[in-house]
Amino acid sequence: MAHALTPRALATAVAAAFVLAGCGGGGGGGSTAVSTPVAATPSTPAATATDTPAQAAVTFANVSVHDPAVIKVGDTWYAFGSHLAAAKTTDLMNWTKIADGVNDGNPLFSKVTTALADTFAWAQVTDLWAPDVIQLDDGKFYMYYDACKGDSPRSALGVAVADKIEGPYVNKQVFLKSGMWGEVSPDGTVYDALKHPNVVDPNTFRDAAGKLWMIYGSYSGGIFIMAMDPATGLPVAGQGYGKHLMGGNHARIEGAYVMYSPATKYYYLFTSFGGLDATGGYNMRVARATNPDGPYLDASGKDMADVKADPSKPLFDDASIAPYGQKLVGSHQFALAAGESGTPLGYVSPGHNSARYEAATNQYFLIFHTRFPGQGEYHEMRVHEMFINDDGWPVAAPLRYVPLSKSATTISSTVTSADTAGAYKMVNHGKDISATVKPSVAVRLDANGTVSGAGSGNTGGTWTHKGNNNVAIVIDGVTYSGVLSRQWNPNANAFAVTFTAQSKTGVSLWGIRTGS
């Protein structure tokens, strides 16, 4: 028989921490951010050694949508986020906000405070957290919405349906609840936040065979998955909370999202570790499985279902979970190289992502929200291309997505060995969960195959071009399997060769070429 939930007094004592991230990243405001935005382009064109001459700056239209869940309808991408925010784009660079704020003027619902009154009554707050939208076989759009009290995992998860992607959505029903102190939970036992989920952060997806699933959860008992009925959009009966996949004991793990790769036949489970605020150390990690409901493993073979906080340590212990999962990106900043100008590029607490494979172009995309060095809690969405390395793991490009077609001159997507050799600024993302912003260091990939400079470690290193834009970098005896590409560097007003590489221990390196 399960023991009763952690006493209500504990929830009160840790209220501040739950407000920041216990409900799936809801601490990020939609239109409430007041900090000065990060400059999107450098002040003047810069001359530096890159692949193409300096050209007119590429521009972006940025939006703040926290916890973005992305769906593509026709040629248009939509991002739905916390606080009933939404935006759309046709190029993944220029976004237009179409909704924001949990109020009766939001066009996604007709009077949302009335439509979701039962949800708000349970959660004891008039707010919505990270949603997800999917189009099911009936052609209708199903929005999986959730609300959380904020100082505890008292949450409600439901679904609303619309004929059009931009709504209005009509509530169908709440189908999961959590945080019922001392009461029986959906699995028949007394709710226990150490092992039962906080029912927020849904992601509903189809597997390779077309079967429908929903993955969800934040902190508390961890990440869970349920089989869904595509005819109703509701869980298949009799599952309780579903199957546990990751986390527990209030480990700071949330924002689960699953992407299938037809090339590798793996399901990739993306999550965010740490706290979402600027000092929380938020970072994105990935594990993989051959089945949609797991088990999900990291490259060391660790079953992520066993990755949870140590209950003997203080609440929200990060040290016990930090060694696991493949870390894609954390807080970092690239220094300006000679000839570069503008705001130095970098992210603070990037996370709560969507991931998308585009079959038509054979591209992978990572879409997430992030804060920025020196900008406090101000946040915006970012899109980065991803690649699959030689070890079958996704690695993320160091710079935000800009297609090569934006180049003023025609450039090839192929990066040769000769193209690769040169000077770089490199970030080592490490495996820690901390507020430390990792600075870039100088490194050289020398033409003779050696790695030199400050970033080459204590014993130096080597690099090998493996064809098809693949590269292997060895530093201090550790091999990083990587992918080369050309990415838009706004500090140089040009496309530059970059590398993104990852070790089997789950550490990622990002490099931007700055000279010959």
Side-chain angles (χ1 to χ4, degrees):
M1 179 177 177
H3 60 80
L5 175 66
T6 306
R8 188 183 298 267
L10 173 59
T12 302
V14 301
F18 270 120
V19 166
L20 287 177
C23 294
S31 59
T32 58
V34 295
S35 299
T36 304
V38 174
T41 57
S43 56
T44 56
T48 189
T50 53
D51 297 308
T52 58
Q55 63 178 57
V58 172
T59 58
F60 306 87
N62 300 316
V63 292
S64 296
V65 175
H66 214 260
D67 313 322
V70 169
I71 176 174
K72 191 178 184 186
V73 181
D75 293 330
T76 303
W77 299 75
Y78 289 87
F80 293 86
S82 288
H83 318 301
L84 210 56
K88 64 183 179 180
T89 181
T90 55
D91 63 4
L92 295 176
M93 295 169 55
N94 296 278
W95 294 84
T96 301
K97 185 77 76 76
I98 60 173
D100 201 3
V102 182
N103 56 69
D104 286 344
N106 192 303
L108 294 178
F109 282 83
S110 176
K111 295 186 177 180
V112 67
T113 60
T114 301
L116 303 185
D118 56 343
T119 301
F120 300 137
W122 175 264
Q124 301 173 19
V125 64
T126 305
D127 203 357
L128 292 169
W129 305 78
D132 191 36
V133 176
I134 188 172
Q135 188 174 23
L136 295 184
D137 295 343
D138 59 6
K140 297 180 184 295
F141 297 91
Y142 287 68
M143 175 186 286
Y144 292 85
Y145 61 83
D146 53 284
C148 180
K149 187 172 184 292
D151 61 1
S152 77
R154 186 176 178 88
S155 302
L157 173 57
V159 63
V161 186
D163 293 327
K164 299 179 180 179
I165 184 65
E166 296 188 23
Y169 287 82
V170 177
N171 190 32
K172 186 177 178 75
Q173 71 179 80
V174 170
F175 59 83
L176 277 181
K177 293 179 179 178
S178 61
M180 56 287 288
W181 304 98
E183 300 175 17
V184 175
S185 74
D187 73 355
T189 65
V190 174
Y191 184 83
D192 181 350
L194 293 175
K195 70 175 187 179
H196 286 134
N198 181 15
V199 296
V200 296
D201 295 4
N203 166 228
T204 306
F205 68 96
R206 294 179 182 84
D207 65 19
K211 186 176 179 181
L212 192 66
W213 302 86
M214 183 185 74
I215 194 165
Y216 71 99
S218 170
Y219 288 44
S220 300
I223 307 300
F224 286 68
I225 192 168
M226 304 183 77
M228 304 294 282
D229 181 350
T232 64
L234 299 172
V236 173
Q239 298 179 85
Y241 279 127
K243 179 182 179 182
H244 173 260
L245 293 180
M246 184 189 301
N249 299 333
H250 297 307
R252 300 203 297 178
I253 301 173
E254 63 182 12
Y257 202 97
V258 174
M259 179 190 75
Y260 177 72
S261 169
T264 66
K265 310 300 182 187
Y266 281 115
Y267 295 89
Y268 295 97
L269 169 57
F270 297 82
T271 51
S272 293
F273 281 35
L276 69 91
D277 59 310
T279 60
Y282 225 33
N283 62 94
M284 288 175 278
R285 304 197 180 204
V286 65
R288 69 187 185 189
T290 54
N291 295 304
D293 60 345
Y296 283 89
L297 312 177
D298 63 15
S300 69
K302 179 72 171 179
D303 187 340
M304 302 304 285
D306 297 327
V307 176
K308 56 189 67 176
D310 184 340
S312 69
K313 293 183 178 179
L315 200 64
F316 306 145
D317 162 52
D318 286 334
S320 52
I321 64 173
Y324 306 109
Q326 308 302 109
K327 186 177 178 181
L328 287 169
V329 54
S331 299
H332 69 280
Q333 189 168 35
F334 285 101
L336 291 178
E340 293 184 342
S341 63
T343 302
L345 302 174
Y347 296 150
V348 170
S349 292
H352 204 122
N353 68 279
S354 298
R356 173 91 181 199
Y357 171 67
E358 278 293 284
T361 57
N362 193 32
Q363 289 177 292
Y364 299 87
F365 292 104
L366 187 71
I367 304 100
F368 54 96
H369 75 251
T370 185
R371 290 154 173 82
F372 305 92
Q375 296 291 326
E377 297 302 327
Y378 178 82
H379 60 84
E380 291 177 348
M381 275 202 324
R382 288 293 182 266
V383 179
H384 283 230
E385 195 168 0
M386 289 191 295
F387 312 97
I388 304 295
N389 71 9
D390 272 353
D391 295 328
W393 288 100
V395 289
L399 295 166
R400 68 188 300 185
Y401 175 67
V402 176
L404 293 181
S405 60
K406 293 291 184 180
S407 174
T409 58
T410 301
I411 53 176
S412 173
S413 61
T414 299
V415 182
T416 66
S417 180
D419 295 332
T420 306
Y424 289 77
K425 47 185 177 182
M426 184 183 77
V427 167
N428 183 325
H429 288 283
K431 282 296 286 285
D432 58 326
I433 302 172
S434 74
T436 301
V437 176
K438 302 289 195 304
S440 65
V441 295
V443 70
R444 288 191 58 83
L445 303 188
D446 296 308
N448 63 3
T450 62
V451 178
S452 59
S456 63
N458 297 319
T459 60
T462 61
W463 68 278
T464 305
H465 192 285
K466 304 179 72 176
N468 297 319
N469 283 7
N470 291 312
V471 64
I473 300 172
V474 181
I475 297 175
D476 281 341
V478 177
T479 299
Y480 298 83
S481 177
V483 179
L484 300 156
S485 66
R486 288 185 168 89
Q487 303 291 322
W488 173 253
N489 179 0
N491 292 136
N493 273 351
F495 285 89
V497 167
T498 68
F499 65 77
T500 173
Q502 190 181 100
S503 70
K504 290 186 177 179
T505 57
V507 174
S508 289
L509 304 179
W510 281 5
I512 302 172
R513 189 168 162 286
T514 58
S516 58

